[in-house]
Structure formats: structure tokens, C-alpha cells
Amino acid sequence: DAKTTQPPSMDCAEGRAANLPCNHSTISGNEYVYWYRQIHSQGPQYIIHGLKNNETNEMASLIITEDRKSSTLILPHATLRDTAVYYCIVRKRSSGYSTLTFGKGTMLLVSP
Amino acid sequence: EAGVAQSPRYKIIEKRQSVAFWCNPISGHATLYWYQQILGQGPKLLIQFQNNGVVDDSQLPKDRFSAERLKGVDSTLKIQPAKLEDSAVYLCASSPQPGGGPRGNEQFFGPGTRLTVL
């Protein structure tokens, strides 16, 4: 399964855009990029996913490069509640069932 | 809509003791997962159920860990005997359908059970 590389930590000022990068240079053509986040003492929460086109929902935007070797999660107006660990995951298929393999993620700290 | 429920939230035991965790997934979700999250790391999948059958238990330490999902709804994860390195948060997640397209794999996580083994 494709591995991902993320910076261990990032800082962002409240109200500014947070841009979280992820490298997945070994991604296969039928693998999706997923983003989850985990707020302290809670379980992970789904944010967004994409295959090759840019995606946007009420939480965030996902920008995937044309060669699909990297992506960026964008939180357009970060708030203090966005402080969390953000996981970039490439979905693996196994015997028809898809699994998620979490790395260490990026700890995003949003400050006033 | 009620989320994934887990109990207990916290458990402290001594090594070599036994412990069990309980999970109630979101109603109607066919797939259930148990993850182990050691401090500072991302969650690691231990076992995945589809209804009451095991799909993937390749990372479950079967000499001490066991899990079951009776009637395809609730699930329990047991550790016996516990070791110091089992100290972690145990997360349960569920998803609506297996491999049914990208959104069908969205996993909904419970709050977890924090286990401390002394």
C-alpha cells in the first residue's frame, strides 16, 4: 500500500488559512487520498477524500497535484477548534474490502 | 443520529490480568473495526468485521487478544493476559458498507477506551 509523508507539526494563526501538505509518491491509479483528523481525547473524524480532482466540502478543500504524488488539505479560516492531528491516508484495497492505514499525521496548532 | 458507543472510557489493570472492551456501532452499519492507538502514533487496525464474520485480523496478537461480534451488532475485544505494552487507547469504528465506493468506506469512530497496564 502507498505510504504518505507529512510534517510532524504546523502552526497557524486563528482566522488564517491552514495548508497541510502530504506526499504520496507511490500512490496507485485506483487509490484514493483520505484526510481524517483527531482532536485530543476523541476518535478520528473523516474530513474529505479525493481521487484526482480537487474537492471541497463544508469542512475543507483538497488539492491533488496532476501527477497525484502529493496533496494539500486546506482549512480556509482556521479556528481554535481545528487544533488536532491531521492524517493523510491512501486507501488500500484488500480482498474487496478497503482499509485505512494511519501514519503519525501532522499536529496542527491554531493560536489566537 | 447516535454515534459509536464504547465502554468503559478508562481502565487500569495490572499486568497478567484480563480486560474486555465493548463497542456498539452506529445502527445499520455492517462493518466494524477495532484499532489500537499507542501514545504518539496513529491508530493501528487490529481486526475488521463484516456483519459477524472476520474480514481482516492479520495484526491481531491472537495469543492474547480476541474479539467477537455476536449477531453482527455489538462487539467485544478481550485481552488476556495483559502486558505493559498493551497500554493504549482502543478505538472502535463502524462504516455503512464494505468497499461500496469511496464514501461507503467512511469510518465513524467512537471516543475510545484508554487502557493503562501497570
Side-chain angles (χ1 to χ4, degrees):
Chain A
D1 53 324
K3 294 184 178 179
T4 62
T5 303
Q6 299 178 254
S9 64
M10 294 184 65
D11 295 326
C12 181
E14 188 178 21
R16 305 298 289 267
N19 298 288
L20 291 91
C22 179
N23 287 320
H24 31 78
S25 58
T26 61
I27 192 170
S28 299
N30 64 347
E31 289 181 314
Y32 288 79
V33 179
Y34 279 76
W35 284 83
Y36 278 73
R37 75 178 182 184
Q38 187 172 23
I39 295 171
H40 183 61
S41 295
Q42 297 184 20
Q45 174 193 25
Y46 166 87
I47 301 173
I48 199 168
H49 73 274
L51 183 62
K52 55 183 179 181
N53 297 320
N54 297 338
E55 303 287 346
T56 296
N57 63 19
E58 66 279 3
M59 291 182 69
S61 295
L62 175 60
I63 308 297
I64 302 175
T65 58
E66 191 170 344
D67 62 8
R68 302 208 325 123
K69 293 185 177 181
S70 65
S71 60
T72 301
L73 178 75
I74 301 172
L75 308 178
H77 305 287
T79 70
L80 300 179
R81 288 175 293 181
D82 292 322
T83 291
V85 177
Y86 287 76
Y87 297 100
C88 170
I89 301 164
V90 174
R91 189 180 76 173
K92 181 182 84 168
R93 282 194 173 274
S94 175
S95 301
Y97 294 92
S98 299
T99 61
L100 297 174
T101 302
F102 291 83
K104 292 188 176 181
T106 295
M107 174 65 217
L108 175 68
L109 176 62
V110 181
S111 303
Chain B
E1 173 181 84
V4 176
Q6 291 187 247
S7 68
R9 290 297 313 276
Y10 304 92
K11 189 74 176 179
I12 300 174
I13 61 173
E14 295 189 350
K15 60 183 179 183
R16 291 188 289 273
Q17 286 187 322
S18 300
V19 65
F21 313 124
W22 173 81
C23 173
N24 180 235
I26 293 173
S27 178
H29 281 194
T31 311
L32 185 146
Y33 314 79
W34 283 102
Y35 288 84
Q36 179 192 59
Q37 186 172 24
I38 293 173
L39 186 65
Q41 299 182 17
K44 181 183 81 170
L45 179 69
L46 292 176
I47 189 168
Q48 177 181 348
F49 291 94
Q50 174 60 26
N51 295 313
N52 60 349
V54 175
V55 171
D56 184 354
D57 63 356
S58 58
Q59 298 193 88
L60 186 73
K62 299 180 185 63
D63 57 333
R64 297 184 301 105
F65 286 65
S66 65
E68 61 181 7
R69 190 182 184 197
L70 298 177
K71 300 181 181 179
V73 182
D74 293 4
S75 177
T76 56
L77 176 69
K78 297 180 182 178
I79 308 174
Q80 59 179 79
K83 293 185 176 181
L84 297 178
E85 58 261 35
D86 298 333
S87 293
V89 175
Y90 290 86
L91 294 160
C92 179
S94 67
S95 60
Q97 54 184 326
R103 201 59 195 256
N105 192 56
E106 179 181 342
Q107 296 185 22
F108 296 82
F109 285 80
T113 297
R114 181 176 298 277
L115 173 67
T116 301
V117 182
L118 303 176

